[in-house]
Amino acid sequence: MTAIIKRLLAFARPRAADRDAPDDHEAQRTTRISARRRLAVRQAIGEARLALSHHDTTAAQHAIARARTIDPANRQLPLLAAAAALRQGHAYQALHLVESADAQHAPTRLMANLVRLSAGQRYAAWLDLSDWAACDGCPPQARVLLAWLYCEEGRPDAAQRTLAEVDTEHEPLARQLAMLIGMRHDGAAPTRRDMADLLHRFGDDPATEWFGRSLGLGRRRSSGEVPVNVVEQLADELLSEPGVIPTLVAAQRRRPEPDRVALIRRALVRIVDDLPEPIVAVEALAELSRLAADRDDALRWVQRGLNLAPYSAKLALMLDELERAGANDEPRISPRVALERVATLRPNWADVQHALAHRYNHDGLDTLAVEHLFRWLMREPGHPLATAALEELAA
C-alpha cells in the first residue's frame, strides 16, 4: 500500500463522535478494493509486456484479457493488444484496436501511426504526424518518426529541421537519426567521441548499444560502466511504480543478464529505505544478489527481509538455499527456525514442508525429519514430495 493510499485511509477513518461511521467505514473498504484492483491491473500489464518481450503472444493476450475484466477503460490495453496483433502479423486488426481507442492519448496516437506504417498506410501516417508536429505538445518520438519519413522520401533538410525541434540531449533516437542523415547526405561519419558520448548517456538502451556496434564504434559496456544518471532515472521510476519490481526480477530470473541485474540492484539500493513497504525491494535485492552469485550480499538482504517479514516463504527458502551453498557469512537467523515458522503457518505449502524435512536431515535431526514427514502424510496422504522424501531418508 502506497503512502498516498495510507493518507487517504487516514482521512477516511471515523471519529468516535461521528454519527455516520458506517458510511465512512464503507468508504475505507471501497478505497482498499480500488487499490487492490489497480495493483492487479498493473501486475497483469507487466506480465503482458514481459510476455511480448519474449514473443509469447498467447500469454500476453491472456494477461491483457485479465486486465480488461478489471479495468476495461485502461488506456494501455489497446496498445498492448495492438502490439500482440502485430506480432501475429495482423496489422489491420492492430490498426482497428488503436484507432478505436482514445485519440487524444499521445502514446495511442503514436502507436496508431506506427501501425499505419506496418499496414502500408504511409501517407496517412505522414499527414497525421505533420499535423501533430505543428502542435507545441507533440512528443519527441513523433517528431523523430516524421523526420525518418522525410529522410525516406529523400528530403534530408526537412528531416533535419524536424529533428532540430527535438531535445537531442534527452532523446537517443533523434541523435542516432541525425548521425545517419549526416552519414547518408553529408558524408560526415560520427566520430568515436560522438559515439562515446551517446553510449555514456544511453548505452543501457539495447537499441542504442546495437546502433553503436553496427557502426563499429560501440562495444558492450560492463555493469560497472552504467552511468549514474541511468541508475537514478530507474530508481525514480521504481520509487513511483514499485509494483513493477517483481516483474523486473521475474524477467531476470527467466533470462539473467549481468548488466541488467547490476543496474536494478543499484537502483533498488537507492530507494529501499524510501519505499512505504520496503519488503518488495528487499526480496528483490536478495534474489538479484543470488542471481549475481553474490551470496554474502544475498544473505544480508534475506536476513533483513526476515526481520521485516518473518513469515516470508520466499526468504525462508532462499536462506536455506544460501546456507547450503556455503555463503561466507554465518547467518544470524537459523534456516531451520525460519522454515519452521513458515511451515507452521502454511501447512499446505509443499515446497516449504519439503525444504524443512531436508533441513532437519541436513542438521542431523533425522528423527525430527521422519516425524515431520509422517505428520505431512497424515494431512495429505500419498503426497508425492512427502513420499519421495521419506523414501530418501529411509535409503
Side-chain angles (χ1 to χ4, degrees):
M1 186 183 299
T2 65
I4 294 174
I5 295 173
K6 284 184 176 179
R7 287 198 294 271
L8 288 173
L9 290 177
F11 283 122
R13 240 174 238 128
R15 294 170 298 185
D18 286 345
R19 294 180 129 189
D20 56 348
D23 291 338
D24 286 345
H25 179 73
E26 181 64 21
Q28 257 191 13
R29 188 185 68 82
T30 303
T31 302
R32 286 197 298 271
I33 292 172
S34 177
R36 285 197 292 269
R37 287 167 66 91
R38 286 197 300 272
L39 179 60
V41 170
R42 281 204 303 269
Q43 289 175 336
I45 287 173
E47 289 174 17
R49 286 176 176 157
L50 180 60
L52 285 172
S53 72
H54 293 291
H55 309 285
D56 189 348
T57 53
T58 302
Q61 287 168 334
H62 285 316
I64 293 165
R66 191 167 77 251
R68 190 175 280 124
T69 61
I70 304 169
D71 183 10
N74 190 289
R75 293 191 295 188
Q76 296 183 59
L77 298 181
L79 307 185
L80 292 168
L86 283 177
R87 293 271 187 187
Q88 296 176 315
H90 305 318
Y92 286 98
Q93 179 187 347
L95 188 57
H96 172 73
L97 287 165
V98 289
E99 288 186 338
S100 302
D102 182 5
Q104 301 304 313
H105 184 223
T108 301
R109 188 172 181 180
L110 182 64
M111 182 68 170
N113 284 299
L114 289 168
V115 175
R116 286 179 188 124
L117 292 172
S118 297
Q121 299 183 8
R122 179 182 291 260
Y123 187 66
W126 180 82
L127 281 177
D128 186 58
L129 289 167
S130 298
D131 290 342
W132 201 3
C135 304
D136 292 336
C138 179
Q141 298 93 331
R143 295 187 193 277
V144 172
L145 186 56
L146 178 61
W148 175 77
L149 286 174
Y150 278 133
C151 191
E152 287 292 295
E153 292 174 4
R155 300 170 62 185
D157 292 341
Q160 289 171 333
R161 283 196 300 272
T162 304
L163 288 175
E165 299 181 52
V166 179
D167 181 3
T168 55
E169 289 299 308
H170 300 93
E171 183 52 49
L173 282 176
R175 292 185 62 172
Q176 292 171 47
L177 185 55
M179 288 180 181
L180 290 175
I181 292 172
M183 291 174 63
R184 183 171 177 178
H185 297 281
D186 302 330
T191 66
R192 288 192 176 276
R193 183 172 182 177
D194 292 335
M195 187 56 63
D197 182 64
L198 181 66
L199 289 173
H200 175 73
R201 292 177 182 275
F202 307 107
D204 194 62
D205 171 41
T208 302
E209 182 188 60
W210 175 87
F211 176 77
R213 285 189 283 123
S214 70
L215 296 179
L217 297 173
R219 61 186 175 82
R220 187 159 185 84
R221 58 167 66 245
S222 69
S223 59
E225 294 177 290
V226 176
V228 172
N229 66 320
V230 176
V231 177
E232 290 176 344
Q233 180 182 349
L234 179 60
D236 289 341
E237 292 173 0
L238 294 179
L239 187 60
S240 62
E241 288 288 339
V244 305
I245 294 173
T247 303
L248 291 178
V249 176
Q252 293 310 309
R253 189 189 309 121
R254 183 171 180 175
R255 188 178 297 175
E257 296 183 33
D259 55 344
R260 301 285 178 181
V261 170
L263 172 61
I264 301 169
R265 285 176 71 188
R266 288 174 62 184
L268 287 175
V269 167
R270 287 174 175 264
I271 65 167
V272 62
D273 293 323
D274 297 324
L275 289 169
E277 293 194 14
I279 186 62
V280 64
V282 171
E283 288 183 345
L285 282 163
E287 188 159 3
L288 290 168
S289 299
R290 184 179 59 81
L291 288 174
D294 189 351
R295 289 197 292 264
D296 290 335
D297 197 51
L299 181 60
R300 285 190 286 273
W301 286 112
V302 164
Q303 292 180 141
R304 176 172 172 178
L306 286 170
N307 286 329
L308 293 171
Y311 294 96
S312 169
K314 180 188 294 185
L315 293 173
L317 290 168
M318 206 180 305
L319 177 64
D320 179 58
E321 177 189 334
L322 288 168
E323 197 273 342
R324 287 171 183 272
N328 294 325
D329 294 341
E330 188 71 24
R332 296 190 305 272
I333 301 172
S334 162
R336 176 161 53 87
V337 170
L339 287 170
E340 284 175 338
R341 266 194 311 236
V342 182
T344 301
L345 183 67
R346 307 292 186 188
N348 296 323
W349 287 15
D351 53 348
V352 176
Q353 303 298 329
H354 187 255
L356 180 56
H358 282 284
R359 169 51 58 178
Y360 283 139
N361 175 251
H362 180 272
D363 291 349
L365 303 171
D366 290 345
T367 302
L368 281 179
V370 172
E371 290 176 354
H372 170 72
L373 289 170
F374 274 124
R375 285 195 299 271
W376 185 4
L377 286 168
M378 288 178 66
R379 292 193 307 272
E380 300 180 75
H383 194 289
L385 278 179
T387 303
L390 194 58
E391 290 173 354
E392 287 176 21
L393 289 178

